[in-house]
Amino acid sequence: MSVGIRYDWQIEEIQAIYDLPLLELVYQAASIHRQYHNPKQIQVCKLISIKTGACPEDCSYCAQSARYKTEVKPQALLEKETVLDIAQQAKASGVSRVCMGAAWREVRDNTQFDQVLDMVKDVTDMGLEVCCTLGMLTDAQAKKLETAGLYAYNHNLDTSPDNYSTIITTRTYGDRLKTIDNVRQTNVTVCSGGILGLGESVADRVSMLHTLANLHPHPESVPINILSQVKGTPLENQPDVPIWDVVRMIATARMIMPSSDVRLSAGRARLSQIEQAFCFMAGANSIFSSDDGKMLTVTTPCPGYDNDQQLLSLLGLEMRPPFVQKKKETVMG
Ligand code: SAM
Ligand code: DTB
Ligand code: SF4
């Protein structure tokens, strides 16, 4: 079974893949995974919240929106030295990618952006892949990030176009796609995925995957987040997503975007080792790990470097060095 990379996926085809008998789906996804990736390697990433909380957007899952009363304490932009220390420690623990997140609606052309550009440059100089997630960008801002050496920009679609306005009202799906396109016009790679557990239907999940898989080229990185129910947000009482839905989503993403990295992102902390192993089998090839127990904020736990190193060695897996994917893209043309 060999498939090429396609950009003309139909909704019905994606739905049919998602609905395959589970073990057949995992088998097919695992087979495709092996054609495009080294199945022994998992990329370990570290998130750094460079600016936390007080965000003007109303994303109904988010601990950092100023609209909801959550445990998160707002924090101003971190000093560059603090960021470099965290990145250095992450690198020493085998992390090959650092993602810097800011709770902004959009980037403004001010001294704070200049400081972020400086951080991007210095963390890149440490030999790490640097990703940023700073909200909406203009084309000129995307170019400045490119010049600073940025490797990837994260901007998630989160859910389907139809479901979007039930989750977020302060921006549109079109705004989201525009920023992704602004990044695409540079040589910064695109990271875009979504969240399971917002109350979406299976049709919404398939529709989001359809949008992602019809981007040309595909996002090089597709994070699959499991909702972390944050007290104080409108989605605090959502039920847990069943593990088999997570596995189906990962496997379907793997099959329709075979060369992309599929990242098992938020919500991994509540999965057992066996559940995580199933996700890797289904084609997830990246995780976020941390020494401070959290993803971006205290509301969303993240497994620690030591635990993850143990998990990977238990499963006979290894941490992927930086820039492997980029080299492959260059070779594949
Ligand atoms: N403000 C920027 C933005 O929205 O693009 C960047 C930061 S935002 C925290 C990055 C992504 O994290 C969101 O798009 C969403 O997919 C994910 N996320 C945020 N809160 C989450 C939660 N409680 N559970 C799962 N994923 C979450
Ligand atoms: C992504 O898709 N997931 C990561 C990263 N991109 C920025 C963030 C998960 C956010 C977890 C919510 C929190 O820590 O508050
Ligand atoms: Fe702000 Fe991003 Fe959270 Fe939305 S997801 S409220 S834009 S930090």
Side-chain angles (χ1 to χ4, degrees):
M1 174 179 36
S2 178
V3 288
I5 299 184
R6 286 178 47 193
Y7 307 95
D8 60 352
W9 288 99
Q10 304 297 307
I11 289 270
E12 299 72 28
E13 292 178 288
I14 301 173
Q15 179 80 53
I17 294 173
Y18 187 97
D19 288 338
L20 279 170
L22 190 101
L23 293 184
E24 179 62 25
L25 172 60
V26 172
Y27 173 75
Q28 290 191 18
S31 308
I32 288 173
H33 186 196
R34 276 155 179 71
Q35 290 170 28
Y36 287 87
H37 302 270
N38 177 346
K40 274 186 79 122
Q41 290 187 337
I42 296 283
Q43 183 170 44
V44 182
C45 313
K46 163 74 178 142
L47 282 166
I48 307 178
S49 186
I50 57 170
K51 186 266 163 186
T52 306
C55 182
E57 301 277 57
D58 69 353
C59 312
S60 46
Y61 49 77
C62 189
Q64 304 198 69
S65 167
R67 321 253 173 150
Y68 318 127
K69 215 175 145 7
T70 72
E71 269 181 87
V72 169
K73 287 195 202 73
Q75 195 178 49
L77 189 65
L78 294 183
E79 296 288 334
K80 185 173 79 176
E81 280 60 40
T82 310
V83 173
L84 293 179
D85 283 351
I86 301 170
Q88 189 58 58
Q89 213 199 326
K91 185 183 173 185
S93 304
V95 164
S96 59
R97 177 161 167 134
V98 163
C99 177
M100 306 194 297
W104 288 331
R105 170 178 162 74
E106 75 250 306
V107 167
R108 307 259 172 88
D109 295 299
N110 56 18
T111 54
Q112 297 212 333
F113 185 39
D114 294 339
Q115 282 170 259
V116 174
L117 292 169
D118 205 25
M119 291 173 195
V120 168
K121 193 177 162 307
D122 285 9
V123 180
T124 302
D125 286 346
M126 289 168 53
L128 291 165
E129 292 175 22
V130 181
C131 176
C132 276
T133 182
L134 313 170
M136 292 185 268
L137 291 182
T138 64
D139 53 351
Q141 290 163 343
K143 291 213 168 61
K144 279 192 181 172
L145 286 162
E146 173 186 37
T147 305
L150 189 69
Y151 184 79
Y153 195 78
N154 165 259
H155 206 62
N156 289 342
L157 292 177
D158 282 342
T159 188
S160 68
D162 286 349
N163 194 40
Y164 203 70
S165 62
T166 70
I167 305 298
I168 299 151
T169 69
T170 48
R171 56 171 190 254
T172 65
Y173 218 65
D175 292 333
R176 228 48 197 165
L177 290 167
K178 181 66 190 150
T179 291
I180 291 172
D181 189 53
N182 288 339
V183 175
R184 196 38 102 198
Q185 302 311 314
T186 69
N187 71 18
V188 175
T189 59
V190 171
C191 172
S192 188
I195 311 184
L196 296 174
L198 303 171
E200 74 285 351
S201 62
V202 169
D204 289 317
R205 293 175 186 167
V206 167
S207 168
M208 181 187 84
L209 288 174
H210 178 250
T211 309
L212 291 170
N214 284 279
L215 293 174
H216 194 172
H218 292 156
E220 287 80 359
S221 160
V222 179
I224 303 295
N225 293 279
I226 308 166
L227 178 72
S228 155
Q229 299 96 332
V230 176
K231 202 161 169 286
T233 63
L235 297 180
E236 67 175 318
N237 293 320
Q238 281 296 311
D240 279 349
V241 178
I243 182 65
W244 302 121
D245 290 20
V246 179
V247 170
R248 281 189 188 281
M249 193 70 178
I250 289 171
T252 309
R254 167 54 63 231
M255 287 184 62
I256 63 178
M257 294 175 280
S259 70
S260 304
D261 285 327
V262 175
R263 303 186 197 274
L264 174 57
S265 306
R268 185 172 65 90
R270 75 161 165 86
L271 303 187
S272 68
Q273 290 189 330
I274 294 174
E275 290 171 333
Q276 294 180 61
F278 236 102
C279 293
F280 299 145
M281 196 65 182
N285 63 343
S286 174
I287 54 175
F288 291 88
S289 189
S290 181
D291 49 346
D292 59 9
K294 57 185 190 198
M295 293 285 286
L296 282 169
T297 75
V298 289
T299 63
T300 306
C302 183
Y305 296 138
D306 290 352
N307 271 347
D308 283 335
Q309 268 158 7
Q310 272 173 21
L311 173 68
L312 296 187
S313 74
L314 182 72
L315 300 177
L317 299 172
E318 61 194 37
M319 292 173 153
R320 189 173 90 189
F323 306 112
V324 167
Q325 185 74 343
K326 186 81 181 179
K327 282 192 207 111
K328 215 164 63 177
E329 277 152 25
T330 316
V331 174
M332 282 165 42

